[in-house]
Amino acid sequence: MTTSWWRNAVIYQVYLRSFVDSDGDGIGDLEGLRLRLGYLRSLGVDGLWLNPCYPSPGADHGYDVSDYTDIDARYGGLPAFDRLLTDAHGHRLKVLMDLVPNHCSVEHPWFQAALAGDREARERFIFRPGRGDQPPNNWRSMFGGPAWTRVDDEWYLHSFDPGQPDFNWRNPEVGEYFEDVLRFWFDRGVDGIRIDVAHMLFKHADLPDWPNHPEYNILSQNQPEVHEVLRRWRKLADSYDRDLTLVGEVWVPSVQDLALYLRPDELPQAFYFDLLVQPWDAAGFRASIDRGMEAIGSTGATITWTLASHDAHRAVSRYGLVSYTGGPPNRPRGEVDVDLGVRRARAAMMLLAAMPGSVYLYQGEELGLPEVLDLPDEARQDPTFLRSGPADYGRDGCRVPLPWNADQVAFGFSTKPETWLPQPSWFADYAVDSQLDVQGSTLELHRQALKLRRDFDGDFTWLPTERPDVLAFRRGDLIGVTVFGSEPYPTPYGTPILASTEPAPGTVAANSTAWFRA
């Protein structure tokens, strides 16, 4: 039996607005991506995941969708998408779309009808009468502030921005609509779908208050009814005569909860965020890897690993944090040692690349880009910042347009100097052209690691070490050693086939990973 391609694939996440701009408007587009498919193939990835590029007014840069079966004209429309899909397949690259089923845009025709007072249309969303002049309950938006906005004599629920009204998944019309959307994209030829906040589709039927405004409101997410929707979607995907995948974004309280979404008749894949939120610590990494392999392995699924995304600070800045002043685990604030962060991020990538399962690589991580922490407030566009202010500077810093050429306008991203988010001058140091074919560069390290990864096979087992700051493991004929501490680690394994930092003979360097042949 042939193994499904997605079980061990490396997928490159494309935040389209910031990848390449082909028409000089300062915003990335599909033609720009198409022209760089050779770069992705040479990097060694197996496919790409496109962040939403549907028509959208941009309240959350595409995660507020006004039409689920079209492509925004700013990105080139459906003709540009079809050209991209054809050429990607010509490069032997899979293409995954991003589906946003929890909420839409206020400009979606259904919601426009709801605003006009159409009762049937309102039943497709969560409209409720308030409690006097107050919202129906005390739920908070994930972006800060109340989760309700008033319209006439009722309030509508938005788990994120007011421009993103939540669908009412207890109305069967909603489920039927999204099955048609899935068929549209599968029929067009995409190879999979990433499902945005897959755990949030259903809310508690009674919409009761949740005490103390906690960060994780179990009444607004992770409800049992969502699993039946995912079973229907899995059945739909499996009905096609080609190997399709569904990848869930699922933030739940425990790895055991995540495993419930990966049962054989539900999602083939779901991101394993537990490792992403771990600080640079050997015990934390090992415990997280063990949790994932035990809980997810028991379902028959493979783990879908990632260390970064458009929703998290870049790995360089998270692992280079030397003092913590606040913020969630995926977007911590504090003083950052960039050189240390680069060294640790390279090591973490090699540790991850050796794991069994699939790997998702966020654009720019292969360049060692740090988070852009010094964006001026007036340039920030993330609704997380706009609703929370200094309490959470949001996600703009990992979404700044990529640097391609150190000496060109906008570092080769665009012919327009003013890009949709401003690029710092120091981006020149990380440009693709300054790293390509340069031995020891972060880009070359990624290319070498992803090439070698294709040869890895076999079970994963931990190996003993003499220090608590060192992890060692074996997978088939590969031995990997990661040093989390500040001192080199003597090793008996000989000369490494690849190392994230060049070691002295007979050692693995501090804050680094090395691979050896067993």
Side-chain angles (χ1 to χ4, degrees), residues 64-121:
D64 51 318
V65 179
S66 56
D67 186 345
Y68 286 87
T69 56
D70 200 0
I71 296 294
D72 198 308
R74 289 171 292 186
Y75 300 133
L78 274 172
F81 176 83
D82 289 339
R83 289 192 297 272
L84 170 71
L85 187 62
T86 297
D87 282 14
H89 287 162
H91 281 83
R92 303 189 308 282
L93 293 169
K94 304 291 187 179
V95 177
L96 283 72
M97 291 291 283
D98 201 329
L99 185 67
V100 189
N102 177 71
H103 49 266
C104 64
S105 164
V106 290
E107 294 187 5
H108 190 283
W110 279 6
F111 196 73
Q112 286 293 299
L115 291 179
D118 183 327
R119 191 70 249 170
E120 184 176 334

Side-chain angles (χ1 to χ4, degrees), residues 155-417:
W155 301 68
Y156 70 87
L157 179 68
H158 49 85
S159 296
F160 294 89
D161 186 82
Q164 298 168 290
D166 283 27
F167 285 109
N168 173 18
W169 272 88
R170 298 184 185 280
N171 183 335
E173 289 183 47
V174 174
E176 293 165 4
Y177 173 73
F178 276 99
E179 288 184 22
D180 287 342
V181 171
L182 286 170
R183 289 189 189 95
F184 177 87
W185 292 109
F186 286 150
D187 290 347
R188 208 162 194 98
V190 303
D191 303 289
I193 299 286
R194 179 262 189 185
I195 306 166
D196 186 61
V197 293
H199 57 298
M200 292 186 68
L201 305 188
F202 283 84
K203 284 71 179 169
H204 190 289
D206 298 330
L207 302 176
D209 276 345
W210 181 248
N212 303 321
H213 302 310
E215 193 170 299
Y216 193 93
N217 181 353
I218 61 171
L219 300 175
S220 67
Q221 49 200 301
N222 201 26
Q223 297 293 299
E225 296 92 337
V226 71
H227 295 283
E228 184 54 39
V229 172
L230 301 179
R231 290 187 186 100
R232 293 200 302 269
W233 289 6
R234 177 66 178 268
K235 185 176 181 180
L236 190 159
D238 287 349
S239 71
Y240 284 76
D241 61 359
R242 63 187 199 277
D243 197 4
L244 303 175
T245 191
L246 302 167
V247 189
E249 180 198 18
V250 181
W251 291 91
V252 284
S254 72
V255 179
Q256 289 71 32
D257 288 311
L258 178 63
L260 297 177
Y261 288 78
L262 293 165
R263 288 174 286 195
D265 60 345
E266 294 194 39
L267 293 175
Q269 297 180 277
F271 291 109
Y272 187 64
F273 294 122
D274 188 84
L275 187 63
L276 185 153
V277 300
Q278 300 302 319
W280 183 250
D281 173 74
F285 265 60
R286 175 164 179 164
S288 179
I289 292 168
D290 285 344
R291 283 193 296 270
M293 289 189 172
E294 179 180 354
I296 295 173
S298 68
T299 70
T302 54
I303 300 178
T304 303
W305 306 98
T306 187
L307 292 175
S309 78
H310 65 294
D311 287 330
H313 281 185
R314 290 199 174 273
V316 165
S317 296
R318 297 199 323 273
Y319 297 143
L321 197 71
V322 292
S323 67
Y324 172 74
T325 60
N330 62 330
R331 295 195 299 275
R333 298 191 303 276
E335 182 184 354
V336 174
D337 181 332
V338 171
D339 291 339
L340 180 63
V342 168
R343 189 173 174 125
R344 289 174 171 177
R346 288 161 60 101
M349 179 278 296
M350 281 188 59
L351 173 61
L352 201 71
M355 294 289 128
S358 62
V359 173
Y360 277 65
L361 176 65
Y362 180 52
Q363 68 178 42
E365 291 295 292
E366 78 277 15
L367 304 178
L369 285 176
E371 186 80 2
V372 182
L373 297 169
D374 55 354
L375 282 170
D377 287 356
E378 60 271 19
R380 294 182 182 275
Q381 301 184 31
D382 184 2
T384 301
F385 169 73
L386 299 178
R387 289 175 65 85
S388 301
D392 189 341
Y393 275 103
R395 303 161 296 175
D396 289 318
C398 68
R399 301 175 176 186
V400 175
L402 293 185
W404 292 92
N405 301 92
D407 298 325
Q408 291 187 7
V409 171
F411 304 116
F413 165 76
S414 174
T415 57
K416 182 180 181 180

